[in-house]
Structure formats: C-alpha cells, structure tokens
Amino acid sequence: MLRRTVLALALTAGMTAPLQAADDLVSTYTLDNGMQIVVVEDHRAPVVMHMVWYKAGSADERPGVSGVAHFLEHLLFKGTENLEPGEFSATVAANGGRDNAFTSYDVTAYHQRVASDRLELMMRMESDRMVNLQLDEEDILTERDVIIEERNQRVENNPGALFREQLSAAQYLNHRYGVPVIGWRHEMEALDLEDALEFYEAYYAPNNAILIVAGDVEPDEVKALADQYYGAIPANPELPPRARPSEPPQSSARRMVFYDPRVAQPYVTRSYLAPERNSGDQRQAAALTLLAELLGGGQTSVLSQKLQFETKQSVYAGSWYRGTSLDATTFNLIMVPAPGVEMQEAEEAMDGAVAEFMQEGVDEAHLERIKMQLRASQIYERDNVESVANRYGRGLTSGLTIADIQEWPEILNAITSEEIMAAAEEIFDDRKSVTGWLMTQEQEVSQ
C-alpha cells in the first residue's frame, strides 16, 4: 500500500468561508532504483501535470563549462533511440497538451500538461530520454547557436540583465550562484559534445530525479506506470555528491555602478546574504518572507507608502526574498527614483525608510492582512495543477521534505512580529551587502 500524507492547511478561527480549502492528497514512494515518486490528486478536471525534476542545475557545473546544464536542457529535445528530433514536443501537441523545461541554479525540470489518459505516453517518452539521448556534432553546433542567441536576446540586449549578472558575481565570490544560469558567453561558445554528455551521464539518472504527477490520477495507477517505465532504468552508482564550493564570510560592503547608454530608467538595488529554507527549521525563512512582504510587497508596503506616496521620491520601491534554494540566498531591496531624484538621494531615502521601519517595528494590522493574503494565494493556487506540482518539486529538490512543504502555511501564520524584527536585525548588516546603481553616463553627469 502507498503511504498517503494528507495536508490540511492551518486556518485561523477568523478566516472567512471563501478561503476554506480541500485537502491535498499526497502519496509518495521510492522505486528500487532510488527515484522518488510524488502523486498529488486533484480530480476536479481530467488533466494531469507530469514533471521530472533532476537535482542538478547550473550551480552543479564544473568550472569552465558554465551554461552546460541549460545547454543540455535544450539538447534533450533532440532525438533518442526511439524518437526523432522534435518528435517529443510534436507528440505532446498532437495529443492536445503542452510541454516545456527550465533550468535553475539547483534543478533542471521537464514537464508536460496533458489529458490524464495520456499520462502513460508522457512517461514512456520522458523515461526514454532519461537514458537514450542521441547527439552528434551537428546537434551541438545548431543548439549552441540557439543558446547564444538566447543570451543575446535576454541578457546582452538588456542592461538590467547585465547589471544583475554583475551584482550576483559580486555577491557570490566563490559559490556557483555567482555564475549566470545561462552561462558566461565566452564559455558558452566553447561548449562541446563531450561537455554535454559528461553532464548528462553524471546527473540524468533515476536516483537523482523526482517524478511529480499532479492532477486527475490514482496513486496505484501512477505507481504501476512508474514501475514499468522509470523502474526499468538502473541507478547511477557513481552519482557525484553535490559538493559545491562554500562562500567565504563577507566582512565588507561591496558597491558597483553599472553604466549602459541604453538605460531608460536608473535604479538602485541592494542585496544581503540570507539563509535559505531548511528542513525542520523554517521559521527564520518564514520571518524573512513576511519581512519582504511588509517592506516591499505591494502598494501598501512600507517602502511604497513612504517613498512613492509620502515623499514622492520613487516611482517604484520593493523588496523580495526567495528562500527555496539549496544554499544561502539573498534578501533584496530596490528603489526606482522619481524624475529629478539623484541616485545618492534615492539610496539614502531607501535606507531611511528601512531605518524608520526598524525603529517603529511591525504594524500588527498590516501583518495580519499580509498573512490573510498569503493564505488566500496558497489556497487559490491549488486550482492549478502546474502550480501544485511546482511547489512540491521546488521544495523537494531544495532539500525540504513533504512534511516541510505541507507545514509551511501554518509556520507562516504562526510567525510573530518579534521573530520578523529579529530576522531583520540579523539580515540588515551592511558588511554582508552588495549595493548597485544602474544608470547611464549622461544621467551621472546631469546629477
């Protein structure tokens, strides 16, 4: 029998009826070859999301081949021993579905959304390309041009993207989070067949993968299909450990100014090293999540109210924190100055708004509104099987357990204002910050 975990979101006594939610029905088991299977049932529509998450992303690349994880993601849409190049996506489309993939620092994931009676077809094709990828030099040359053009469009032609690359490189001196997921251009241009196959053979194995199936399915049916298609693939006994270089302690603030004549709107941003969500100990991450919402989570946030509406020094101000990562992440602030506001003035105004918040503390009514909004969004996202599958996939591949993922809404709801302020005191340490200005030379001169 499958081990079934039932999630009941923690609802406060004052929560209104529209926010009541059905339970997630989550089943999980592990194949003999080490592949974890997670099934989230939702029988409201005959649709299923099928996702395979590999615990290997750009931060797992060896030095000198940046971008190979993303490059391999593209190459997996080439042919296999059983599928012609392009046949995978064409088959999904012919069956009324859609498919795609993505690479991040920590994972590479492949997914299809189809009618639930097409699940077996998806498993057959996805398991095939886990082990039977067929590549030649022509594939490498063609797809390498594609990813270089993607970098041209998304990064080289976007001063904000170039700026953010440099900020990350300044934030992470040693850890691979300082290297862009898409790769440095000069290294991308040298990627070859051997680089792609080395990454594929090292990490694309069932004992390094998690299968998430969410939607109108029965757990026993998924188990049988997974045993048939994925269970037949042997584990990789030489799977490398995720031994990433650690970041040295940061003891001095770092600053940079990025000039680009294409900048239409200058802005100032600051990032602080921050802890990620950790299994069994998520309260600090929850406090930082709420801190980001309080400071910059919308027009009612502290930064927006102070800088955009009260002093009118900003056209936008915000903050964000994404704790679902394998290693240490960042807490971020941004301010886009209003016309006539100089960059130094903007930075000082942003710092002043944060200092004022640290002195005054959390507005309890504001905090309760944010908690209610988060509970509502967590419930409403369950109407989308893709969102549900992503929530479990991102959590599990970052080291969290199913229990951690299920407990997260309750933990968020239980965080006190004292915990939020304690987290803020620890995070807002200028010695662990990187401050950046994005602007043109002309904007500097005009100031």
Side-chain angles (χ1 to χ4, degrees), residues 142-179:
T142 301
E143 210 59 39
R144 191 170 62 195
D145 287 342
V146 170
I147 62 169
I148 290 173
E149 181 58 28
E150 183 178 343
R151 180 177 170 88
N152 287 339
Q153 293 179 0
R154 295 186 177 184
V155 182
E156 306 294 349
N157 291 331
N158 185 337
L162 290 168
F163 173 55
R164 291 189 292 273
E165 274 192 347
Q166 296 297 310
L167 283 173
S168 293
Q171 182 74 80
Y172 295 99
L173 297 183
N174 197 44
H175 194 282
R176 295 289 293 183
Y177 285 173
V179 178

Short mmCIF file of all heavy atoms in Angstrom, two decimals, residues 142-179:
data_model
loop_
_atom_site.label_atom_id
_atom_site.label_comp_id
_atom_site.label_asym_id
_atom_site.label_seq_id
_atom_site.Cartn_x
_atom_site.Cartn_y
_atom_site.Cartn_z
N THR A 142 24.27 23.43 -33.87
CA THR A 142 22.97 24.10 -34.06
C THR A 142 22.43 24.64 -32.76
O THR A 142 22.03 25.81 -32.66
CB THR A 142 21.96 23.12 -34.68
OG1 THR A 142 22.46 22.64 -35.93
CG2 THR A 142 20.62 23.80 -34.88
N GLU A 143 22.41 23.80 -31.72
CA GLU A 143 21.79 24.23 -30.46
C GLU A 143 22.67 25.21 -29.70
O GLU A 143 22.16 26.03 -28.94
CB GLU A 143 21.46 23.01 -29.60
CG GLU A 143 20.26 23.20 -28.69
CD GLU A 143 18.99 23.53 -29.46
OE1 GLU A 143 18.77 22.94 -30.55
OE2 GLU A 143 18.21 24.38 -28.99
N ARG A 144 23.97 25.12 -29.90
CA ARG A 144 24.85 26.10 -29.26
C ARG A 144 24.58 27.50 -29.81
O ARG A 144 24.57 28.49 -29.07
CB ARG A 144 26.32 25.72 -29.47
CG ARG A 144 27.29 26.52 -28.60
CD ARG A 144 28.68 25.94 -28.68
NE ARG A 144 29.19 25.98 -30.06
CZ ARG A 144 30.26 25.28 -30.46
NH1 ARG A 144 30.89 24.48 -29.61
NH2 ARG A 144 30.68 25.38 -31.70
N ASP A 145 24.32 27.58 -31.11
CA ASP A 145 23.94 28.86 -31.69
C ASP A 145 22.62 29.37 -31.10
O ASP A 145 22.44 30.57 -30.88
CB ASP A 145 23.80 28.74 -33.21
CG ASP A 145 25.14 28.61 -33.92
OD1 ASP A 145 26.17 28.95 -33.30
OD2 ASP A 145 25.15 28.17 -35.08
N VAL A 146 21.71 28.43 -30.81
CA VAL A 146 20.41 28.81 -30.25
C VAL A 146 20.57 29.42 -28.86
O VAL A 146 19.98 30.46 -28.55
CB VAL A 146 19.47 27.59 -30.19
CG1 VAL A 146 18.21 27.92 -29.38
CG2 VAL A 146 19.09 27.13 -31.60
N ILE A 147 21.38 28.79 -28.00
CA ILE A 147 21.51 29.31 -26.64
C ILE A 147 22.31 30.62 -26.63
O ILE A 147 22.06 31.49 -25.77
CB ILE A 147 22.12 28.28 -25.67
CG1 ILE A 147 23.54 27.89 -26.09
CG2 ILE A 147 21.21 27.06 -25.55
CD1 ILE A 147 24.27 27.08 -25.02
N ILE A 148 23.25 30.77 -27.55
CA ILE A 148 23.98 32.04 -27.64
C ILE A 148 23.05 33.15 -28.08
O ILE A 148 23.09 34.27 -27.55
CB ILE A 148 25.19 31.90 -28.58
CG1 ILE A 148 26.25 30.99 -27.93
CG2 ILE A 148 25.78 33.27 -28.90
CD1 ILE A 148 27.41 30.64 -28.84
N GLU A 149 22.17 32.86 -29.03
CA GLU A 149 21.18 33.85 -29.44
C GLU A 149 20.20 34.16 -28.31
O GLU A 149 19.78 35.31 -28.15
CB GLU A 149 20.42 33.36 -30.68
CG GLU A 149 19.38 34.34 -31.21
CD GLU A 149 19.97 35.70 -31.55
OE1 GLU A 149 21.17 35.79 -31.90
OE2 GLU A 149 19.22 36.70 -31.47
N GLU A 150 19.87 33.14 -27.51
CA GLU A 150 19.01 33.37 -26.35
C GLU A 150 19.69 34.32 -25.37
O GLU A 150 19.06 35.22 -24.81
CB GLU A 150 18.69 32.04 -25.66
CG GLU A 150 17.75 32.17 -24.47
CD GLU A 150 17.40 30.83 -23.83
OE1 GLU A 150 17.63 29.78 -24.48
OE2 GLU A 150 16.93 30.84 -22.68
N ARG A 151 20.99 34.12 -25.17
CA ARG A 151 21.72 35.05 -24.30
C ARG A 151 21.73 36.45 -24.90
O ARG A 151 21.57 37.45 -24.18
CB ARG A 151 23.14 34.55 -24.06
CG ARG A 151 23.92 35.50 -23.16
CD ARG A 151 25.31 35.10 -22.80
NE ARG A 151 25.93 36.25 -22.15
CZ ARG A 151 25.87 36.51 -20.86
NH1 ARG A 151 25.28 35.66 -20.03
NH2 ARG A 151 26.43 37.60 -20.36
N ASN A 152 21.91 36.55 -26.21
CA ASN A 152 21.88 37.86 -26.86
C ASN A 152 20.57 38.58 -26.57
O ASN A 152 20.56 39.77 -26.23
CB ASN A 152 22.06 37.71 -28.36
CG ASN A 152 23.48 37.35 -28.76
OD1 ASN A 152 24.42 37.58 -28.00
ND2 ASN A 152 23.64 36.77 -29.94
N GLN A 153 19.46 37.87 -26.72
CA GLN A 153 18.15 38.48 -26.58
C GLN A 153 17.82 38.81 -25.12
O GLN A 153 17.28 39.88 -24.83
CB GLN A 153 17.08 37.56 -27.16
CG GLN A 153 17.17 37.38 -28.67
CD GLN A 153 16.12 36.45 -29.21
OE1 GLN A 153 15.31 35.90 -28.48
NE2 GLN A 153 16.13 36.23 -30.52
N ARG A 154 18.13 37.88 -24.23
CA ARG A 154 17.69 38.04 -22.84
C ARG A 154 18.68 38.80 -21.96
O ARG A 154 18.30 39.38 -20.95
CB ARG A 154 17.44 36.67 -22.22
CG ARG A 154 16.29 35.91 -22.85
CD ARG A 154 16.01 34.63 -22.08
NE ARG A 154 14.87 33.90 -22.63
CZ ARG A 154 14.36 32.79 -22.11
NH1 ARG A 154 14.90 32.28 -21.02
NH2 ARG A 154 13.33 32.19 -22.68
N VAL A 155 19.96 38.76 -22.33
CA VAL A 155 20.98 39.35 -21.47
C VAL A 155 21.73 40.48 -22.17
O VAL A 155 21.72 41.62 -21.70
CB VAL A 155 21.97 38.27 -20.97
CG1 VAL A 155 23.01 38.90 -20.03
CG2 VAL A 155 21.24 37.14 -20.28
N GLU A 156 22.39 40.17 -23.29
CA GLU A 156 23.23 41.18 -23.94
C GLU A 156 22.44 42.40 -24.38
O GLU A 156 22.96 43.53 -24.37
CB GLU A 156 23.95 40.57 -25.15
CG GLU A 156 24.75 39.32 -24.86
CD GLU A 156 25.95 39.55 -23.95
OE1 GLU A 156 26.30 40.72 -23.70
OE2 GLU A 156 26.54 38.56 -23.49
N ASN A 157 21.19 42.22 -24.75
CA ASN A 157 20.35 43.34 -25.19
C ASN A 157 19.55 43.96 -24.06
O ASN A 157 18.68 44.79 -24.31
CB ASN A 157 19.39 42.88 -26.30
CG ASN A 157 20.11 42.55 -27.58
OD1 ASN A 157 21.16 43.12 -27.86
ND2 ASN A 157 19.56 41.64 -28.36
N ASN A 158 19.85 43.57 -22.84
CA ASN A 158 19.09 44.04 -21.68
C ASN A 158 20.06 44.54 -20.62
O ASN A 158 20.66 43.75 -19.91
CB ASN A 158 18.23 42.90 -21.13
CG ASN A 158 17.32 43.32 -20.01
OD1 ASN A 158 17.57 44.32 -19.32
ND2 ASN A 158 16.27 42.57 -19.78
N PRO A 159 20.23 45.85 -20.48
CA PRO A 159 21.19 46.36 -19.50
C PRO A 159 20.86 45.94 -18.07
O PRO A 159 21.76 45.73 -17.27
CB PRO A 159 21.11 47.88 -19.67
CG PRO A 159 19.86 48.15 -20.43
CD PRO A 159 19.62 46.94 -21.27
N GLY A 160 19.57 45.79 -17.77
CA GLY A 160 19.20 45.34 -16.44
C GLY A 160 19.68 43.93 -16.16
O GLY A 160 20.12 43.61 -15.05
N ALA A 161 19.60 43.06 -17.18
CA ALA A 161 20.07 41.68 -17.01
C ALA A 161 21.59 41.64 -16.85
O ALA A 161 22.12 40.89 -16.03
CB ALA A 161 19.63 40.83 -18.20
N LEU A 162 22.32 42.44 -17.63
CA LEU A 162 23.77 42.52 -17.49
C LEU A 162 24.15 43.04 -16.11
O LEU A 162 25.09 42.54 -15.48
CB LEU A 162 24.35 43.43 -18.57
CG LEU A 162 24.31 42.90 -20.00
CD1 LEU A 162 24.64 44.02 -20.99
CD2 LEU A 162 25.27 41.73 -20.18
N PHE A 163 23.43 44.02 -15.64
CA PHE A 163 23.64 44.59 -14.30
C PHE A 163 23.43 43.52 -13.23
O PHE A 163 24.26 43.36 -12.33
CB PHE A 163 22.66 45.75 -14.13
CG PHE A 163 22.61 46.37 -12.76
CD1 PHE A 163 23.75 46.85 -12.15
CD2 PHE A 163 21.39 46.49 -12.10
CE1 PHE A 163 23.69 47.45 -10.89
CE2 PHE A 163 21.32 47.08 -10.85
CZ PHE A 163 22.47 47.56 -10.24
N ARG A 164 22.35 42.76 -13.33
CA ARG A 164 22.06 41.75 -12.32
C ARG A 164 23.10 40.63 -12.32
O ARG A 164 23.43 40.08 -11.27
CB ARG A 164 20.65 41.19 -12.53
CG ARG A 164 19.55 42.21 -12.21
CD ARG A 164 18.17 41.57 -12.23
NE ARG A 164 17.77 41.15 -13.56
CZ ARG A 164 17.15 41.95 -14.44
NH1 ARG A 164 16.92 43.22 -14.15
NH2 ARG A 164 16.78 41.49 -15.64
N GLU A 165 23.64 40.29 -13.49
CA GLU A 165 24.73 39.31 -13.55
C GLU A 165 25.93 39.78 -12.74
O GLU A 165 26.53 39.02 -11.98
CB GLU A 165 25.16 39.10 -15.00
CG GLU A 165 24.38 38.07 -15.76
CD GLU A 165 25.06 37.72 -17.08
OE1 GLU A 165 25.99 38.44 -17.50
OE2 GLU A 165 24.65 36.72 -17.70
N GLN A 166 26.29 41.04 -12.93
CA GLN A 166 27.45 41.58 -12.21
C GLN A 166 27.19 41.66 -10.71
O GLN A 166 28.10 41.41 -9.90
CB GLN A 166 27.81 42.96 -12.77
CG GLN A 166 28.26 42.94 -14.22
CD GLN A 166 29.53 42.15 -14.42
OE1 GLN A 166 30.51 42.33 -13.70
NE2 GLN A 166 29.51 41.23 -15.37
N LEU A 167 25.97 41.99 -10.32
CA LEU A 167 25.62 42.03 -8.90
C LEU A 167 25.77 40.65 -8.27
O LEU A 167 26.31 40.51 -7.16
CB LEU A 167 24.19 42.54 -8.71
CG LEU A 167 23.95 44.04 -8.86
CD1 LEU A 167 22.46 44.33 -8.81
CD2 LEU A 167 24.66 44.81 -7.74
N SER A 168 25.27 39.63 -8.96
CA SER A 168 25.38 38.27 -8.42
C SER A 168 26.83 37.84 -8.30
O SER A 168 27.23 37.20 -7.32
CB SER A 168 24.61 37.28 -9.30
OG SER A 168 23.22 37.52 -9.24
N ALA A 169 27.63 38.20 -9.30
CA ALA A 169 29.05 37.85 -9.25
C ALA A 169 29.75 38.56 -8.11
O ALA A 169 30.68 38.01 -7.50
CB ALA A 169 29.71 38.21 -10.58
N ALA A 170 29.29 39.77 -7.78
CA ALA A 170 29.86 40.49 -6.64
C ALA A 170 29.37 39.92 -5.31
O ALA A 170 30.10 39.94 -4.31
CB ALA A 170 29.51 41.98 -6.74
N GLN A 171 28.14 39.42 -5.29
CA GLN A 171 27.59 38.86 -4.06
C GLN A 171 28.24 37.52 -3.72
O GLN A 171 28.57 37.25 -2.56
CB GLN A 171 26.08 38.69 -4.21
CG GLN A 171 25.37 38.15 -2.95
CD GLN A 171 25.25 39.19 -1.87
OE1 GLN A 171 24.37 40.04 -1.92
NE2 GLN A 171 26.14 39.15 -0.89
N TYR A 172 28.40 36.67 -4.72
CA TYR A 172 28.96 35.33 -4.51
C TYR A 172 30.36 35.27 -5.12
O TYR A 172 30.52 35.11 -6.33
CB TYR A 172 28.06 34.27 -5.14
CG TYR A 172 26.70 34.16 -4.52
CD1 TYR A 172 25.60 34.77 -5.09
CD2 TYR A 172 26.52 33.42 -3.34
CE1 TYR A 172 24.33 34.65 -4.52
CE2 TYR A 172 25.27 33.30 -2.76
CZ TYR A 172 24.18 33.92 -3.35
OH TYR A 172 22.93 33.80 -2.79
N LEU A 173 31.36 35.39 -4.28
CA LEU A 173 32.74 35.38 -4.76
C LEU A 173 33.22 33.98 -5.12
O LEU A 173 34.06 33.82 -6.00
CB LEU A 173 33.67 35.97 -3.69
CG LEU A 173 33.44 37.43 -3.31
CD1 LEU A 173 34.49 37.87 -2.30
CD2 LEU A 173 33.48 38.33 -4.53
N ASN A 174 32.68 32.96 -4.44
CA ASN A 174 33.19 31.60 -4.62
C ASN A 174 32.10 30.60 -4.99
O ASN A 174 32.37 29.64 -5.71
CB ASN A 174 33.90 31.15 -3.33
CG ASN A 174 34.79 29.95 -3.54
OD1 ASN A 174 35.54 29.89 -4.52
ND2 ASN A 174 34.74 29.00 -2.62
N HIS A 175 30.91 30.80 -4.48
CA HIS A 175 29.81 29.88 -4.75
C HIS A 175 29.33 30.04 -6.19
O HIS A 175 29.38 31.14 -6.75
CB HIS A 175 28.66 30.13 -3.78
CG HIS A 175 27.63 29.04 -3.76
ND1 HIS A 175 26.68 28.91 -4.74
CD2 HIS A 175 27.42 28.03 -2.88
CE1 HIS A 175 25.91 27.86 -4.46
NE2 HIS A 175 26.34 27.31 -3.34
N ARG A 176 28.81 28.95 -6.77
CA ARG A 176 28.39 28.95 -8.16
C ARG A 176 27.11 29.76 -8.41
O ARG A 176 26.75 30.00 -9.57
CB ARG A 176 28.19 27.52 -8.66
CG ARG A 176 29.47 26.69 -8.70
CD ARG A 176 30.42 27.12 -9.79
NE ARG A 176 29.89 26.87 -11.13
CZ ARG A 176 30.56 27.12 -12.24
NH1 ARG A 176 31.77 27.65 -12.19
NH2 ARG A 176 30.03 26.85 -13.42
N TYR A 177 26.44 30.22 -7.35
CA TYR A 177 25.32 31.12 -7.56
C TYR A 177 25.77 32.44 -8.18
O TYR A 177 24.94 33.21 -8.67
CB TYR A 177 24.60 31.42 -6.24
CG TYR A 177 23.74 30.29 -5.71
CD1 TYR A 177 23.14 30.38 -4.45
CD2 TYR A 177 23.50 29.13 -6.45
CE1 TYR A 177 22.34 29.36 -3.95
CE2 TYR A 177 22.72 28.11 -5.96
CZ TYR A 177 22.14 28.23 -4.69
OH TYR A 177 21.35 27.22 -4.19
N GLY A 178 27.08 32.72 -8.16
CA GLY A 178 27.58 33.93 -8.78
C GLY A 178 27.79 33.81 -10.28
O GLY A 178 28.15 34.80 -10.94
N VAL A 179 27.56 32.63 -10.84
CA VAL A 179 27.69 32.38 -12.28
C VAL A 179 26.29 32.32 -12.88
O VAL A 179 25.43 31.61 -12.36
CB VAL A 179 28.45 31.07 -12.54
CG1 VAL A 179 28.55 30.79 -14.04
CG2 VAL A 179 29.84 31.11 -11.91
#
